[in-house]
Amino acid sequence: MSELLFLEPVFKEVLWGGDALGARFGYEIPSDKTGECWAVSGHQNGDCRIRGGQYDGRTLGQLWQEHRELFGNQPGEQFPLLVKIIDAREDLSIQVHPDDAYAGAHENGSLGKTECWYILDCEPDASIVIGHNASSKEELAQMIAQERWEELLRLCPVHKGDFFQIEPGTVHAIKGGTLILETQQSSDVTYRLYDYGRLQNGKPRPLHLKQSMDVIVCPCREARPQRSVQETEEYCLEQLIACGYYTVEHADIHGTLKRKGQPLYEIIDVLDGEGTINGVSIKKGDHFLLPNGYGDYELKGKLELMLSRP
């Protein structure tokens, strides 16, 4: 059996961030403007280091290049998934992401960005932006030029436990008072459509209107994940999404959950509680990878987990 690969998160300070990543998960964050925890990442802009074991101190990106057998020899130039925890104290910009074809052609061969959000917590009146009301690219351009944002954007109330799949070309924004776990393709390409006229270091942040117009899908198509639940006296396991890039599941365990090993590898994020996996202690805030060949496993304890795989 291979050993678990525990990962050290990378933190990002941003205009809209807060301090929940420290207060809620006990992480040592750089400031009270910390908006993102890159919990599982092999991306060059935030490559997580392995903690402990024979690969201690190596990065996930290095292991992908030098020990592809750990990942079932999955093809690709980079580790394909990226898991974040996002603390939005304030609103994020209105944005959109490209697909693989557009990003590959216009962003130096980058992957596109399909992503999904699980609402870990939120304020009572929290909402997100997902989708728009323009029927065509012409109407979209007109509404943007006339700054008819309230008319253009679709607001959606959110509650703890809600889940959303965000396909490339979907106008979206996480809004203030929301704590989210995001599973996505390993891409850092975001096109900013509108930023409320905010200033950073005395200047507006750049917008990407041409790229946004290129990739926004009109009329918008909202993905509706088909959630399915398996429940026993000891656990509730819910599949949230299975798409061409990832499968994501949420588990609440109050006892034991036995799982078969996955064909390539699997990522586990401990969202709450503590327990063990095959006798190894795990706790809230841990993120680890079960490499290829790890085999079947048993989770025990009182745990809330997110499980994802390619």
Side-chain angles (χ1 to χ4, degrees), residues 64-97:
W64 179 260
Q65 297 301 327
E66 299 168 9
H67 292 280
R68 193 66 64 89
E69 72 277 3
L70 295 171
F71 311 98
N73 295 307
Q74 186 184 16
E77 293 186 10
Q78 60 180 298
F79 185 78
L81 300 181
L82 201 166
V83 179
K84 299 177 182 176
I85 303 175
I86 296 176
D87 171 23
R89 176 180 283 174
E90 300 175 17
D91 295 351
L92 276 69
S93 61
I94 308 299
Q95 54 192 239
V96 64
H97 303 306

PDB file of all heavy atoms in Angstrom, residues 64-97:
ATOM      1  N   TRP A  64       4.172  15.160  -9.798  1.00  0.00           N
ATOM      2  CA  TRP A  64       3.469  14.911 -11.068  1.00  0.00           C
ATOM      3  C   TRP A  64       4.472  14.720 -12.209  1.00  0.00           C
ATOM      4  O   TRP A  64       4.286  13.852 -13.067  1.00  0.00           O
ATOM      5  CB  TRP A  64       2.522  16.068 -11.364  1.00  0.00           C
ATOM      6  CG  TRP A  64       1.769  15.920 -12.649  1.00  0.00           C
ATOM      7  CD1 TRP A  64       2.040  16.515 -13.848  1.00  0.00           C
ATOM      8  CD2 TRP A  64       0.595  15.125 -12.867  1.00  0.00           C
ATOM      9  NE1 TRP A  64       1.120  16.142 -14.793  1.00  0.00           N
ATOM     10  CE2 TRP A  64       0.220  15.291 -14.213  1.00  0.00           C
ATOM     11  CE3 TRP A  64      -0.174  14.297 -12.047  1.00  0.00           C
ATOM     12  CZ2 TRP A  64      -0.893  14.649 -14.770  1.00  0.00           C
ATOM     13  CZ3 TRP A  64      -1.282  13.653 -12.599  1.00  0.00           C
ATOM     14  CH2 TRP A  64      -1.621  13.838 -13.944  1.00  0.00           C
ATOM     15  N   GLN A  65       5.542  15.501 -12.212  1.00  0.00           N
ATOM     16  CA  GLN A  65       6.544  15.403 -13.277  1.00  0.00           C
ATOM     17  C   GLN A  65       7.469  14.202 -13.099  1.00  0.00           C
ATOM     18  O   GLN A  65       7.858  13.562 -14.086  1.00  0.00           O
ATOM     19  CB  GLN A  65       7.378  16.692 -13.336  1.00  0.00           C
ATOM     20  CG  GLN A  65       6.593  17.948 -13.680  1.00  0.00           C
ATOM     21  CD  GLN A  65       5.883  17.873 -15.021  1.00  0.00           C
ATOM     22  OE1 GLN A  65       6.362  17.243 -15.968  1.00  0.00           O
ATOM     23  NE2 GLN A  65       4.717  18.508 -15.116  1.00  0.00           N
ATOM     24  N   GLU A  66       7.823  13.883 -11.851  1.00  0.00           N
ATOM     25  CA  GLU A  66       8.894  12.908 -11.603  1.00  0.00           C
ATOM     26  C   GLU A  66       8.397  11.542 -11.144  1.00  0.00           C
ATOM     27  O   GLU A  66       9.148  10.559 -11.241  1.00  0.00           O
ATOM     28  CB  GLU A  66       9.849  13.481 -10.543  1.00  0.00           C
ATOM     29  CG  GLU A  66      10.512  14.780 -10.976  1.00  0.00           C
ATOM     30  CD  GLU A  66      11.216  15.489  -9.841  1.00  0.00           C
ATOM     31  OE1 GLU A  66      11.341  14.890  -8.744  1.00  0.00           O
ATOM     32  OE2 GLU A  66      11.630  16.661 -10.041  1.00  0.00           O
ATOM     33  N   HIS A  67       7.175  11.474 -10.637  1.00  0.00           N
ATOM     34  CA  HIS A  67       6.648  10.214 -10.127  1.00  0.00           C
ATOM     35  C   HIS A  67       5.203  10.038 -10.598  1.00  0.00           C
ATOM     36  O   HIS A  67       4.288   9.889  -9.795  1.00  0.00           O
ATOM     37  CB  HIS A  67       6.727  10.166  -8.592  1.00  0.00           C
ATOM     38  CG  HIS A  67       8.118  10.098  -8.063  1.00  0.00           C
ATOM     39  ND1 HIS A  67       8.846   8.936  -8.020  1.00  0.00           N
ATOM     40  CD2 HIS A  67       8.935  11.077  -7.586  1.00  0.00           C
ATOM     41  CE1 HIS A  67      10.056   9.185  -7.525  1.00  0.00           C
ATOM     42  NE2 HIS A  67      10.132  10.472  -7.251  1.00  0.00           N
ATOM     43  N   ARG A  68       5.031  10.010 -11.911  1.00  0.00           N
ATOM     44  CA  ARG A  68       3.682   9.927 -12.463  1.00  0.00           C
ATOM     45  C   ARG A  68       2.981   8.621 -12.065  1.00  0.00           C
ATOM     46  O   ARG A  68       1.760   8.528 -12.104  1.00  0.00           O
ATOM     47  CB  ARG A  68       3.747  10.072 -13.986  1.00  0.00           C
ATOM     48  CG  ARG A  68       2.401  10.311 -14.682  1.00  0.00           C
ATOM     49  CD  ARG A  68       1.785  11.640 -14.306  1.00  0.00           C
ATOM     50  NE  ARG A  68       2.591  12.762 -14.745  1.00  0.00           N
ATOM     51  CZ  ARG A  68       2.473  13.363 -15.944  1.00  0.00           C
ATOM     52  NH1 ARG A  68       1.551  12.944 -16.795  1.00  0.00           N
ATOM     53  NH2 ARG A  68       3.246  14.379 -16.257  1.00  0.00           N
ATOM     54  N   GLU A  69       3.763   7.635 -11.657  1.00  0.00           N
ATOM     55  CA  GLU A  69       3.147   6.381 -11.222  1.00  0.00           C
ATOM     56  C   GLU A  69       2.239   6.583 -10.012  1.00  0.00           C
ATOM     57  O   GLU A  69       1.287   5.819  -9.798  1.00  0.00           O
ATOM     58  CB  GLU A  69       4.232   5.332 -10.909  1.00  0.00           C
ATOM     59  CG  GLU A  69       5.032   5.574  -9.635  1.00  0.00           C
ATOM     60  CD  GLU A  69       6.193   6.554  -9.780  1.00  0.00           C
ATOM     61  OE1 GLU A  69       6.357   7.124 -10.892  1.00  0.00           O
ATOM     62  OE2 GLU A  69       6.926   6.745  -8.792  1.00  0.00           O
ATOM     63  N   LEU A  70       2.490   7.634  -9.204  1.00  0.00           N
ATOM     64  CA  LEU A  70       1.634   7.928  -8.055  1.00  0.00           C
ATOM     65  C   LEU A  70       0.219   8.317  -8.482  1.00  0.00           C
ATOM     66  O   LEU A  70      -0.719   8.260  -7.687  1.00  0.00           O
ATOM     67  CB  LEU A  70       2.235   9.064  -7.220  1.00  0.00           C
ATOM     68  CG  LEU A  70       3.572   8.778  -6.528  1.00  0.00           C
ATOM     69  CD1 LEU A  70       4.130  10.055  -5.926  1.00  0.00           C
ATOM     70  CD2 LEU A  70       3.402   7.703  -5.463  1.00  0.00           C
ATOM     71  N   PHE A  71       0.090   8.709  -9.739  1.00  0.00           N
ATOM     72  CA  PHE A  71      -1.182   9.213 -10.263  1.00  0.00           C
ATOM     73  C   PHE A  71      -1.722   8.298 -11.364  1.00  0.00           C
ATOM     74  O   PHE A  71      -2.503   8.731 -12.210  1.00  0.00           O
ATOM     75  CB  PHE A  71      -0.996  10.643 -10.785  1.00  0.00           C
ATOM     76  CG  PHE A  71      -0.297  11.533  -9.796  1.00  0.00           C
ATOM     77  CD1 PHE A  71       1.075  11.775  -9.904  1.00  0.00           C
ATOM     78  CD2 PHE A  71      -0.982  12.083  -8.733  1.00  0.00           C
ATOM     79  CE1 PHE A  71       1.736  12.579  -8.980  1.00  0.00           C
ATOM     80  CE2 PHE A  71      -0.323  12.882  -7.804  1.00  0.00           C
ATOM     81  CZ  PHE A  71       1.037  13.127  -7.921  1.00  0.00           C
ATOM     82  N   GLY A  72      -1.295   7.027 -11.323  1.00  0.00           N
ATOM     83  CA  GLY A  72      -1.778   6.063 -12.302  1.00  0.00           C
ATOM     84  C   GLY A  72      -1.336   6.364 -13.712  1.00  0.00           C
ATOM     85  O   GLY A  72      -1.980   5.941 -14.676  1.00  0.00           O
ATOM     86  N   ASN A  73      -0.216   7.110 -13.845  1.00  0.00           N
ATOM     87  CA  ASN A  73       0.309   7.502 -15.159  1.00  0.00           C
ATOM     88  C   ASN A  73      -0.734   8.235 -16.000  1.00  0.00           C
ATOM     89  O   ASN A  73      -0.771   8.115 -17.220  1.00  0.00           O
ATOM     90  CB  ASN A  73       0.862   6.287 -15.916  1.00  0.00           C
ATOM     91  CG  ASN A  73       2.072   5.702 -15.211  1.00  0.00           C
ATOM     92  OD1 ASN A  73       3.037   6.398 -14.911  1.00  0.00           O
ATOM     93  ND2 ASN A  73       2.019   4.399 -14.919  1.00  0.00           N
ATOM     94  N   GLN A  74      -1.557   9.027 -15.318  1.00  0.00           N
ATOM     95  CA  GLN A  74      -2.536   9.860 -16.029  1.00  0.00           C
ATOM     96  C   GLN A  74      -1.802  10.834 -16.936  1.00  0.00           C
ATOM     97  O   GLN A  74      -0.830  11.464 -16.528  1.00  0.00           O
ATOM     98  CB  GLN A  74      -3.399  10.628 -15.022  1.00  0.00           C
ATOM     99  CG  GLN A  74      -4.531  11.413 -15.669  1.00  0.00           C
ATOM    100  CD  GLN A  74      -5.318  12.245 -14.667  1.00  0.00           C
ATOM    101  OE1 GLN A  74      -4.873  12.487 -13.556  1.00  0.00           O
ATOM    102  NE2 GLN A  74      -6.504  12.687 -15.064  1.00  0.00           N
ATOM    103  N   PRO A  75      -2.216  10.986 -18.188  1.00  0.00           N
ATOM    104  CA  PRO A  75      -1.522  11.920 -19.091  1.00  0.00           C
ATOM    105  C   PRO A  75      -1.813  13.378 -18.744  1.00  0.00           C
ATOM    106  O   PRO A  75      -2.738  13.680 -17.987  1.00  0.00           O
ATOM    107  CB  PRO A  75      -2.095  11.562 -20.468  1.00  0.00           C
ATOM    108  CG  PRO A  75      -3.444  10.985 -20.175  1.00  0.00           C
ATOM    109  CD  PRO A  75      -3.305  10.273 -18.859  1.00  0.00           C
ATOM    110  N   GLY A  76      -1.007  14.284 -19.297  1.00  0.00           N
ATOM    111  CA  GLY A  76      -1.201  15.718 -19.098  1.00  0.00           C
ATOM    112  C   GLY A  76       0.053  16.380 -18.581  1.00  0.00           C
ATOM    113  O   GLY A  76       0.860  15.762 -17.881  1.00  0.00           O
ATOM    114  N   GLU A  77       0.220  17.647 -18.917  1.00  0.00           N
ATOM    115  CA  GLU A  77       1.426  18.374 -18.530  1.00  0.00           C
ATOM    116  C   GLU A  77       1.415  18.799 -17.070  1.00  0.00           C
ATOM    117  O   GLU A  77       2.474  19.080 -16.504  1.00  0.00           O
ATOM    118  CB  GLU A  77       1.613  19.603 -19.426  1.00  0.00           C
ATOM    119  CG  GLU A  77       1.921  19.253 -20.874  1.00  0.00           C
ATOM    120  CD  GLU A  77       2.236  20.474 -21.719  1.00  0.00           C
ATOM    121  OE1 GLU A  77       2.403  21.566 -21.133  1.00  0.00           O
ATOM    122  OE2 GLU A  77       2.308  20.337 -22.946  1.00  0.00           O
ATOM    123  N   GLN A  78       0.228  18.885 -16.451  1.00  0.00           N
ATOM    124  CA  GLN A  78       0.168  19.326 -15.063  1.00  0.00           C
ATOM    125  C   GLN A  78      -0.911  18.563 -14.307  1.00  0.00           C
ATOM    126  O   GLN A  78      -1.851  18.033 -14.911  1.00  0.00           O
ATOM    127  CB  GLN A  78      -0.110  20.828 -14.980  1.00  0.00           C
ATOM    128  CG  GLN A  78      -1.423  21.257 -15.613  1.00  0.00           C
ATOM    129  CD  GLN A  78      -1.653  22.747 -15.514  1.00  0.00           C
ATOM    130  OE1 GLN A  78      -1.753  23.293 -14.425  1.00  0.00           O
ATOM    131  NE2 GLN A  78      -1.735  23.413 -16.650  1.00  0.00           N
ATOM    132  N   PHE A  79      -0.736  18.494 -12.979  1.00  0.00           N
ATOM    133  CA  PHE A  79      -1.767  17.897 -12.138  1.00  0.00           C
ATOM    134  C   PHE A  79      -3.089  18.601 -12.446  1.00  0.00           C
ATOM    135  O   PHE A  79      -3.171  19.829 -12.377  1.00  0.00           O
ATOM    136  CB  PHE A  79      -1.380  18.058 -10.663  1.00  0.00           C
ATOM    137  CG  PHE A  79      -2.318  17.370  -9.720  1.00  0.00           C
ATOM    138  CD1 PHE A  79      -2.246  16.003  -9.535  1.00  0.00           C
ATOM    139  CD2 PHE A  79      -3.270  18.091  -9.022  1.00  0.00           C
ATOM    140  CE1 PHE A  79      -3.125  15.353  -8.663  1.00  0.00           C
ATOM    141  CE2 PHE A  79      -4.151  17.456  -8.145  1.00  0.00           C
ATOM    142  CZ  PHE A  79      -4.074  16.082  -7.974  1.00  0.00           C
ATOM    143  N   PRO A  80      -4.139  17.848 -12.786  1.00  0.00           N
ATOM    144  CA  PRO A  80      -5.293  18.481 -13.435  1.00  0.00           C
ATOM    145  C   PRO A  80      -6.307  19.166 -12.539  1.00  0.00           C
ATOM    146  O   PRO A  80      -7.143  19.918 -13.032  1.00  0.00           O
ATOM    147  CB  PRO A  80      -5.951  17.303 -14.159  1.00  0.00           C
ATOM    148  CG  PRO A  80      -5.592  16.112 -13.335  1.00  0.00           C
ATOM    149  CD  PRO A  80      -4.213  16.384 -12.795  1.00  0.00           C
ATOM    150  N   LEU A  81      -6.252  18.900 -11.219  1.00  0.00           N
ATOM    151  CA  LEU A  81      -7.269  19.455 -10.330  1.00  0.00           C
ATOM    152  C   LEU A  81      -6.662  20.452  -9.350  1.00  0.00           C
ATOM    153  O   LEU A  81      -5.469  20.413  -9.056  1.00  0.00           O
ATOM    154  CB  LEU A  81      -7.970  18.335  -9.554  1.00  0.00           C
ATOM    155  CG  LEU A  81      -8.706  17.284 -10.392  1.00  0.00           C
ATOM    156  CD1 LEU A  81      -9.361  16.254  -9.485  1.00  0.00           C
ATOM    157  CD2 LEU A  81      -9.737  17.928 -11.302  1.00  0.00           C
ATOM    158  N   LEU A  82      -7.520  21.330  -8.836  1.00  0.00           N
ATOM    159  CA  LEU A  82      -7.111  22.317  -7.843  1.00  0.00           C
ATOM    160  C   LEU A  82      -8.277  22.482  -6.873  1.00  0.00           C
ATOM    161  O   LEU A  82      -9.413  22.719  -7.297  1.00  0.00           O
ATOM    162  CB  LEU A  82      -6.774  23.651  -8.528  1.00  0.00           C
ATOM    163  CG  LEU A  82      -5.894  24.668  -7.802  1.00  0.00           C
ATOM    164  CD1 LEU A  82      -5.419  25.740  -8.783  1.00  0.00           C
ATOM    165  CD2 LEU A  82      -6.594  25.340  -6.646  1.00  0.00           C
ATOM    166  N   VAL A  83      -8.006  22.308  -5.586  1.00  0.00           N
ATOM    167  CA  VAL A  83      -9.037  22.459  -4.557  1.00  0.00           C
ATOM    168  C   VAL A  83      -8.703  23.683  -3.710  1.00  0.00           C
ATOM    169  O   VAL A  83      -7.581  23.813  -3.214  1.00  0.00           O
ATOM    170  CB  VAL A  83      -9.128  21.208  -3.662  1.00  0.00           C
ATOM    171  CG1 VAL A  83     -10.190  21.409  -2.575  1.00  0.00           C
ATOM    172  CG2 VAL A  83      -9.454  19.967  -4.492  1.00  0.00           C
ATOM    173  N   LYS A  84      -9.683  24.570  -3.545  1.00  0.00           N
ATOM    174  CA  LYS A  84      -9.508  25.790  -2.763  1.00  0.00           C
ATOM    175  C   LYS A  84     -10.582  25.883  -1.684  1.00  0.00           C
ATOM    176  O   LYS A  84     -11.681  25.362  -1.855  1.00  0.00           O
ATOM    177  CB  LYS A  84      -9.661  27.046  -3.641  1.00  0.00           C
ATOM    178  CG  LYS A  84      -8.686  27.203  -4.776  1.00  0.00           C
ATOM    179  CD  LYS A  84      -9.052  28.460  -5.562  1.00  0.00           C
ATOM    180  CE  LYS A  84      -8.150  28.674  -6.759  1.00  0.00           C
ATOM    181  NZ  LYS A  84      -8.594  29.855  -7.559  1.00  0.00           N
ATOM    182  N   ILE A  85     -10.250  26.593  -0.603  1.00  0.00           N
ATOM    183  CA  ILE A  85     -11.276  27.120   0.294  1.00  0.00           C
ATOM    184  C   ILE A  85     -11.240  28.632   0.130  1.00  0.00           C
ATOM    185  O   ILE A  85     -10.172  29.249   0.229  1.00  0.00           O
ATOM    186  CB  ILE A  85     -11.033  26.731   1.758  1.00  0.00           C
ATOM    187  CG1 ILE A  85     -10.947  25.212   1.909  1.00  0.00           C
ATOM    188  CG2 ILE A  85     -12.161  27.281   2.637  1.00  0.00           C
ATOM    189  CD1 ILE A  85     -10.593  24.753   3.312  1.00  0.00           C
ATOM    190  N   ILE A  86     -12.403  29.219  -0.130  1.00  0.00           N
ATOM    191  CA  ILE A  86     -12.492  30.650  -0.426  1.00  0.00           C
ATOM    192  C   ILE A  86     -13.284  31.352   0.669  1.00  0.00           C
ATOM    193  O   ILE A  86     -14.421  30.961   0.968  1.00  0.00           O
ATOM    194  CB  ILE A  86     -13.154  30.879  -1.802  1.00  0.00           C
ATOM    195  CG1 ILE A  86     -12.268  30.275  -2.906  1.00  0.00           C
ATOM    196  CG2 ILE A  86     -13.402  32.363  -2.053  1.00  0.00           C
ATOM    197  CD1 ILE A  86     -12.876  30.352  -4.288  1.00  0.00           C
ATOM    198  N   ASP A  87     -12.660  32.368   1.269  1.00  0.00           N
ATOM    199  CA  ASP A  87     -13.309  33.198   2.289  1.00  0.00           C
ATOM    200  C   ASP A  87     -13.602  34.558   1.678  1.00  0.00           C
ATOM    201  O   ASP A  87     -12.713  35.404   1.544  1.00  0.00           O
ATOM    202  CB  ASP A  87     -12.401  33.341   3.509  1.00  0.00           C
ATOM    203  CG  ASP A  87     -12.929  34.379   4.511  1.00  0.00           C
ATOM    204  OD1 ASP A  87     -14.149  34.654   4.490  1.00  0.00           O
ATOM    205  OD2 ASP A  87     -12.120  34.910   5.296  1.00  0.00           O
ATOM    206  N   ALA A  88     -14.851  34.756   1.290  1.00  0.00           N
ATOM    207  CA  ALA A  88     -15.264  36.024   0.685  1.00  0.00           C
ATOM    208  C   ALA A  88     -15.883  36.911   1.756  1.00  0.00           C
ATOM    209  O   ALA A  88     -17.073  36.816   2.045  1.00  0.00           O
ATOM    210  CB  ALA A  88     -16.255  35.772  -0.450  1.00  0.00           C
ATOM    211  N   ARG A  89     -15.068  37.779   2.362  1.00  0.00           N
ATOM    212  CA  ARG A  89     -15.623  38.758   3.298  1.00  0.00           C
ATOM    213  C   ARG A  89     -16.399  39.816   2.527  1.00  0.00           C
ATOM    214  O   ARG A  89     -17.438  40.300   2.980  1.00  0.00           O
ATOM    215  CB  ARG A  89     -14.500  39.420   4.100  1.00  0.00           C
ATOM    216  CG  ARG A  89     -14.997  40.517   5.033  1.00  0.00           C
ATOM    217  CD  ARG A  89     -13.868  41.155   5.809  1.00  0.00           C
ATOM    218  NE  ARG A  89     -13.430  40.310   6.919  1.00  0.00           N
ATOM    219  CZ  ARG A  89     -12.378  40.577   7.686  1.00  0.00           C
ATOM    220  NH1 ARG A  89     -11.639  41.639   7.450  1.00  0.00           N
ATOM    221  NH2 ARG A  89     -12.058  39.777   8.688  1.00  0.00           N
ATOM    222  N   GLU A  90     -15.882  40.174   1.354  1.00  0.00           N
ATOM    223  CA  GLU A  90     -16.562  41.122   0.463  1.00  0.00           C
ATOM    224  C   GLU A  90     -16.824  40.452  -0.875  1.00  0.00           C
ATOM    225  O   GLU A  90     -16.355  39.336  -1.132  1.00  0.00           O
ATOM    226  CB  GLU A  90     -15.693  42.379   0.283  1.00  0.00           C
ATOM    227  CG  GLU A  90     -15.404  43.110   1.583  1.00  0.00           C
ATOM    228  CD  GLU A  90     -14.448  44.277   1.388  1.00  0.00           C
ATOM    229  OE1 GLU A  90     -14.270  44.708   0.226  1.00  0.00           O
ATOM    230  OE2 GLU A  90     -13.865  44.740   2.380  1.00  0.00           O
ATOM    231  N   ASP A  91     -17.553  41.146  -1.747  1.00  0.00           N
ATOM    232  CA  ASP A  91     -17.906  40.593  -3.058  1.00  0.00           C
ATOM    233  C   ASP A  91     -16.674  40.403  -3.935  1.00  0.00           C
ATOM    234  O   ASP A  91     -15.803  41.283  -4.006  1.00  0.00           O
ATOM    235  CB  ASP A  91     -18.867  41.523  -3.801  1.00  0.00           C
ATOM    236  CG  ASP A  91     -20.219  41.660  -3.108  1.00  0.00           C
ATOM    237  OD1 ASP A  91     -20.480  40.906  -2.156  1.00  0.00           O
ATOM    238  OD2 ASP A  91     -21.001  42.532  -3.541  1.00  0.00           O
ATOM    239  N   LEU A  92     -16.613  39.262  -4.642  1.00  0.00           N
ATOM    240  CA  LEU A  92     -15.638  39.099  -5.707  1.00  0.00           C
ATOM    241  C   LEU A  92     -16.144  39.805  -6.953  1.00  0.00           C
ATOM    242  O   LEU A  92     -17.332  40.128  -7.073  1.00  0.00           O
ATOM    243  CB  LEU A  92     -15.405  37.616  -6.023  1.00  0.00           C
ATOM    244  CG  LEU A  92     -14.385  36.887  -5.135  1.00  0.00           C
ATOM    245  CD1 LEU A  92     -14.892  36.723  -3.708  1.00  0.00           C
ATOM    246  CD2 LEU A  92     -14.027  35.519  -5.724  1.00  0.00           C
ATOM    247  N   SER A  93     -15.253  40.042  -7.896  1.00  0.00           N
ATOM    248  CA  SER A  93     -15.654  40.673  -9.142  1.00  0.00           C
ATOM    249  C   SER A  93     -16.620  39.782  -9.925  1.00  0.00           C
ATOM    250  O   SER A  93     -16.661  38.564  -9.737  1.00  0.00           O
ATOM    251  CB  SER A  93     -14.416  40.962 -10.007  1.00  0.00           C
ATOM    252  OG  SER A  93     -13.757  39.749 -10.322  1.00  0.00           O
ATOM    253  N   ILE A  94     -17.373  40.408 -10.826  1.00  0.00           N
ATOM    254  CA  ILE A  94     -18.193  39.656 -11.781  1.00  0.00           C
ATOM    255  C   ILE A  94     -17.236  39.122 -12.842  1.00  0.00           C
ATOM    256  O   ILE A  94     -16.486  39.885 -13.452  1.00  0.00           O
ATOM    257  CB  ILE A  94     -19.263  40.554 -12.422  1.00  0.00           C
ATOM    258  CG1 ILE A  94     -20.073  41.298 -11.355  1.00  0.00           C
ATOM    259  CG2 ILE A  94     -20.152  39.727 -13.342  1.00  0.00           C
ATOM    260  CD1 ILE A  94     -20.832  40.411 -10.405  1.00  0.00           C
ATOM    261  N   GLN A  95     -17.246  37.795 -13.064  1.00  0.00           N
ATOM    262  CA  GLN A  95     -16.198  37.194 -13.884  1.00  0.00           C
ATOM    263  C   GLN A  95     -16.717  36.029 -14.697  1.00  0.00           C
ATOM    264  O   GLN A  95     -17.854  35.584 -14.548  1.00  0.00           O
ATOM    265  CB  GLN A  95     -15.036  36.765 -12.988  1.00  0.00           C
ATOM    266  CG  GLN A  95     -15.439  35.863 -11.842  1.00  0.00           C
ATOM    267  CD  GLN A  95     -14.321  35.683 -10.813  1.00  0.00           C
ATOM    268  OE1 GLN A  95     -13.897  34.559 -10.561  1.00  0.00           O
ATOM    269  NE2 GLN A  95     -13.864  36.784 -10.214  1.00  0.00           N
ATOM    270  N   VAL A  96     -15.827  35.528 -15.554  1.00  0.00           N
ATOM    271  CA  VAL A  96     -16.141  34.388 -16.404  1.00  0.00           C
ATOM    272  C   VAL A  96     -14.827  33.676 -16.720  1.00  0.00           C
ATOM    273  O   VAL A  96     -13.760  34.302 -16.715  1.00  0.00           O
ATOM    274  CB  VAL A  96     -16.879  34.848 -17.688  1.00  0.00           C
ATOM    275  CG1 VAL A  96     -15.980  35.734 -18.548  1.00  0.00           C
ATOM    276  CG2 VAL A  96     -17.390  33.659 -18.501  1.00  0.00           C
ATOM    277  N   HIS A  97     -14.909  32.363 -16.952  1.00  0.00           N
ATOM    278  CA  HIS A  97     -13.721  31.582 -17.268  1.00  0.00           C
ATOM    279  C   HIS A  97     -13.813  30.987 -18.670  1.00  0.00           C
ATOM    280  O   HIS A  97     -14.911  30.657 -19.141  1.00  0.00           O
ATOM    281  CB  HIS A  97     -13.548  30.435 -16.269  1.00  0.00           C
ATOM    282  CG  HIS A  97     -13.459  30.873 -14.840  1.00  0.00           C
ATOM    283  ND1 HIS A  97     -12.547  31.806 -14.409  1.00  0.00           N
ATOM    284  CD2 HIS A  97     -14.175  30.505 -13.750  1.00  0.00           C
ATOM    285  CE1 HIS A  97     -12.699  31.985 -13.107  1.00  0.00           C
ATOM    286  NE2 HIS A  97     -13.684  31.219 -12.686  1.00  0.00           N
TER     287      HIS A  97
END
